[in-house]
């Protein structure tokens, strides 16, 4: 409307200007067509011409408006449908956020065919269906989402993988994520979800291969990432524990930072102790770690580690007595090493001292076995078996 008024004002100014221009000499205009003749002044002729131009312009606009009327009405109708669909979408998302999942699904799907963004409706409805336990409906909505917008394959796939993981459909999620990773190998969120799927499925080899990328991009919190790294590399060691050469090779491939982790070292020593294997590199690694920072769990594991010479091992561990003499884990380790060195009296003294510092089921069991098998004192052995069993039950409670 403002544009029309401005245009009209400009034309009036031009007309007045033309009249003023010919005021001194109004001029003469003659129009003749066949037997018809029109005579007028130049000023009047210019005014008539301007009026005709204006009339022609707005007449053409009127005709164009009439011609476009059906299309305009369709567009307005469509805009109204879009507006209603947007209101349904907004309400559905609010219901989904507030936990009204059935209502959310209803609002999201009510006018999906009239929406300008059906993908958002379908993805929201899939989440609402999942939270109601309607997994068939969830899968249908995801399929509809892909059909509504095939170019949004990544968005649909990520949502599908998230919902599958939440429903513990880990194998299906892995298949989805593997496909997504093939089409978007640098997508951070897909990489993080893929690591989670490997972890849940205990696919340790695949997990340790992808974890360096997860760490480099800082895709997980440090505590969560460290837990996954420890589980993955422990799994790798378990897979290789049938042969010492393969086991040592698997350990050598573990990053140095993880080799220095006390949890990993304890696990490494435990597996070696279970198999009765010896490795000078492993022993030096543990001794160096204990020299740098004391760890109760690590010294307990080292007590079960079978060195080549138990007497030399005993002497190495006894050097910590001055600093940690009342530590039950150190005394237990000394008792076990002394038993392997066949120093029965020294073993008894260390084990009794360990129980005196803080009684543990492991120390009671070791002392009971010493009394039963080496010292031939079954009554004392039975007493310590009983004490160890009682401690074990209390620990479980």
């Amino acid at each position: 409307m403002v544009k029309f008024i401005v245009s009209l004002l400009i034309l009036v100014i031009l007309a007045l200007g033309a009249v003023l221009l010919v005021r001194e000499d109004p001029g003469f205009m003659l129009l003749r067509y066949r037997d018809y003749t029109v005579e007028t002044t130049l000023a009047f002729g210019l005014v008539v011409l301007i009026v005709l131009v204006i009339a022609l312009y707005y007449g053409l606009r009127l005709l164009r408006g009439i011609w476009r009327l059906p299309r305009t009405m369709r567009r307005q109708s469509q805009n109204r449908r879009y507006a209603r669909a947007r209101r349904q979408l907004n309400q559905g998302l609010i219901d989904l956020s507030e936990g009204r999942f059935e209502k959310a699904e209803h609002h999201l799907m009510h006018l999906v065919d009239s929406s300008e963004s059906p993908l958002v409706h379908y993805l929201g409805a899939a989440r609402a269906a999942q939270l109601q336990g309607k997994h068939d409906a969830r899968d249908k909505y995801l399929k509809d989402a892909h059909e509504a917008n095939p170019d949004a394959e990544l968005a649909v796939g990520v949502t599908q993988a998230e919902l599958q993981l939440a429903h513990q459909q880990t194998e299906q999620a892995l298949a989805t994520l593997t496909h997504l990773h093939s089409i978007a190998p640098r997508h951070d969120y897909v990489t993080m979800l893929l690591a989670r799927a490997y972890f849940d499925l205990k696919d340790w080899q695949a997990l340790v291969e992808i974890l360096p990328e997860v760490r480099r991009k800082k895709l997980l919190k440090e505590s969560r990432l460290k837990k996954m790294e420890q589980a993955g590399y422990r799994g790798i060691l378990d897979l290789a524990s049938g042969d010492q050469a393969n086991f040592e090779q698997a350990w050598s491939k573990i990053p140095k930072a993880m080799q220095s982790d006390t949890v990993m070292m304890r696990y490494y020593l435990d597996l070696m102790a279970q198999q009765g294997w010896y490795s000078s590199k492993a022993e030096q690694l543990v001794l160096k770690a204990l020299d740098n920072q004391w760890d109760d769990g690590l010294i307990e594991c080292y007590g079960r580690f079978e060195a080549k010479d138990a007497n030399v091992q005993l002497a190495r561990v006894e050097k910590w007595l001055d600093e940690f003499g009342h530590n039950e884990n150190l005394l237990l380790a000394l008792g076990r090493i002394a038993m392997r060195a066949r120093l029965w009296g020294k073993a008894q003294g260390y084990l009794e001292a360990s129980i005196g510092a803080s009684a543990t089921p492991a120390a009671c069991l070791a002392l009971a076995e010493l009394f039963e098998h080496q010292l031939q004192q079954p009554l004392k052995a039975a007493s310590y078996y009983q004490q160890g069993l009682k401690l074990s039950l209390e620990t479980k409670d």
Side-chain angles (χ1 to χ4, degrees):
M1 186 65 181
V2 175
K3 186 177 178 181
F4 170 74
I5 294 173
V6 171
S7 301
L8 184 60
L9 182 60
I10 291 172
L11 289 172
V12 169
I13 292 172
L14 291 174
L16 289 174
V19 171
L20 292 174
L21 183 64
V22 298
R23 183 178 58 180
E24 298 297 332
D25 184 6
F28 176 75
M29 178 181 288
L30 175 65
L31 295 176
R32 182 177 179 179
Y33 178 73
R34 293 185 179 179
D35 295 332
Y36 299 97
T37 301
V38 177
E39 296 181 15
T40 184
T41 63
L42 178 60
F44 183 76
L46 288 174
V47 172
V48 171
L49 180 61
I50 291 171
V51 171
L52 288 175
V53 169
I54 294 173
L56 179 62
Y57 172 74
Y58 285 102
L60 291 174
R61 288 195 60 176
L62 178 62
L63 291 174
R64 186 176 64 174
I66 295 171
W67 175 263
R68 292 183 175 181
L69 184 60
R71 187 192 307 174
T72 302
M73 294 180 65
R74 286 196 300 269
R75 185 184 299 116
Q76 290 177 348
S77 176
Q78 185 181 57
N79 289 337
R80 286 193 295 271
R81 290 197 302 271
Y82 283 165
R84 289 197 300 271
R86 279 195 296 270
R87 287 194 293 271
Q88 292 291 320
L89 174 61
N90 291 336
Q91 186 59 51
L93 293 176
I94 291 172
D95 291 334
L96 183 61
S97 301
E98 295 180 353
R100 297 188 294 269
F101 306 125
E102 186 176 356
K103 288 185 176 180
E105 182 183 1
H106 170 73
H107 284 123
L108 288 166
M109 295 304 299
H110 181 51
L111 292 175
V112 64
D113 293 333
S114 300
S115 175
E116 55 192 331
S117 54
L119 177 67
V120 181
H121 289 256
Y122 286 125
L123 294 181
R127 291 187 182 277
Q130 165 94 350
L131 292 167
Q132 295 175 78
K134 298 162 60 176
H135 303 108
D136 290 339
R138 173 204 69 186
D139 294 338
K140 181 182 181 302
Y141 293 145
L142 291 170
K143 180 181 178 182
D144 292 341
H146 184 267
E147 291 175 353
N149 192 345
D151 293 334
E153 181 179 6
L154 191 61
V156 176
V158 167
T159 302
Q160 183 176 15
E162 286 180 329
L163 297 178
Q164 288 170 333
L165 286 171
H167 187 51
Q168 297 182 344
Q169 294 175 303
T170 315
E171 292 183 354
Q172 293 91 323
L174 178 59
T176 302
L177 290 166
T178 301
H179 171 66
L180 294 178
H181 193 63
S182 68
I183 62 177
R186 296 183 180 181
H187 195 284
D188 291 348
Y189 193 56
V190 171
T191 300
M192 187 271 286
L193 290 177
L194 196 55
R196 177 182 165 186
Y198 288 142
F199 178 78
D200 291 345
L201 288 172
K202 296 181 172 56
D203 189 343
W204 307 127
Q205 187 61 50
L207 178 62
V208 299
E209 288 175 2
I210 202 172
L211 281 180
E213 182 180 357
V214 175
R215 175 170 286 282
R216 185 175 67 255
K217 294 183 176 181
K218 299 180 180 180
L219 303 180
L220 290 170
K221 291 183 178 180
E222 181 62 27
S223 57
R224 174 66 172 168
L225 178 58
K226 191 169 184 179
K227 178 181 178 182
M228 294 177 73
E229 286 176 332
Q230 289 174 347
Y233 289 117
R234 286 201 304 264
I236 292 295
L237 291 176
D238 282 334
L239 293 173
S241 61
D243 178 79
Q244 186 172 2
N246 291 336
F247 182 77
E248 292 293 343
Q249 186 178 14
W251 174 258
S252 67
K253 292 181 179 179
I254 294 176
K256 296 297 182 183
M258 287 303 299
Q259 288 185 356
S260 301
D261 182 75
T262 54
V263 173
M264 285 302 302
M265 279 193 282
R266 290 202 299 266
Y267 199 78
Y268 176 51
L269 285 184
D270 275 337
L271 289 176
M272 294 199 75
Q274 290 172 18
Q275 299 291 341
W277 293 336
Y278 172 75
S279 167
S280 60
K281 289 183 179 180
E283 186 172 15
Q284 292 303 315
L285 180 68
V286 173
L287 293 173
K288 182 178 179 181
L290 288 169
D291 279 333
N292 292 333
Q293 184 175 359
W294 184 260
D295 184 84
D296 287 342
L298 193 56
I299 188 61
E300 192 274 332
C301 288
Y302 185 58
R304 290 184 278 108
F305 180 81
E306 296 187 16
K308 279 189 175 181
D309 189 327
N311 289 290
V312 174
Q313 185 183 19
L314 183 64
R316 284 174 176 168
V317 178
E318 283 179 332
K319 71 179 182 179
W320 287 309
L321 278 173
D322 291 339
E323 191 172 357
F324 306 102
H326 296 288
N327 183 288
E328 66 274 15
N329 294 291
L330 172 60
L331 294 167
L332 173 59
L334 286 166
R336 285 170 168 166
I337 297 170
M339 288 175 66
R340 289 198 297 274
R342 306 182 69 80
L343 301 173
W344 313 127
K346 183 173 278 193
Q348 179 183 347
Y350 283 136
L351 292 172
E352 288 176 343
S354 175
I355 294 172
S358 180
T360 62
C364 291
L365 177 61
L367 187 55
E369 290 177 344
L370 176 66
F371 278 123
E372 181 180 8
H373 301 298
Q374 278 76 37
L375 301 181
Q376 307 302 317
Q377 298 183 43
L379 292 179
K380 285 190 175 182
S383 174
Y384 282 108
Y385 276 131
Q386 184 178 6
Q387 184 179 353
L389 179 61
K390 183 179 179 181
L391 288 171
S392 296
L393 294 174
E394 290 176 354
T395 302
K396 290 180 180 179
D397 293 338

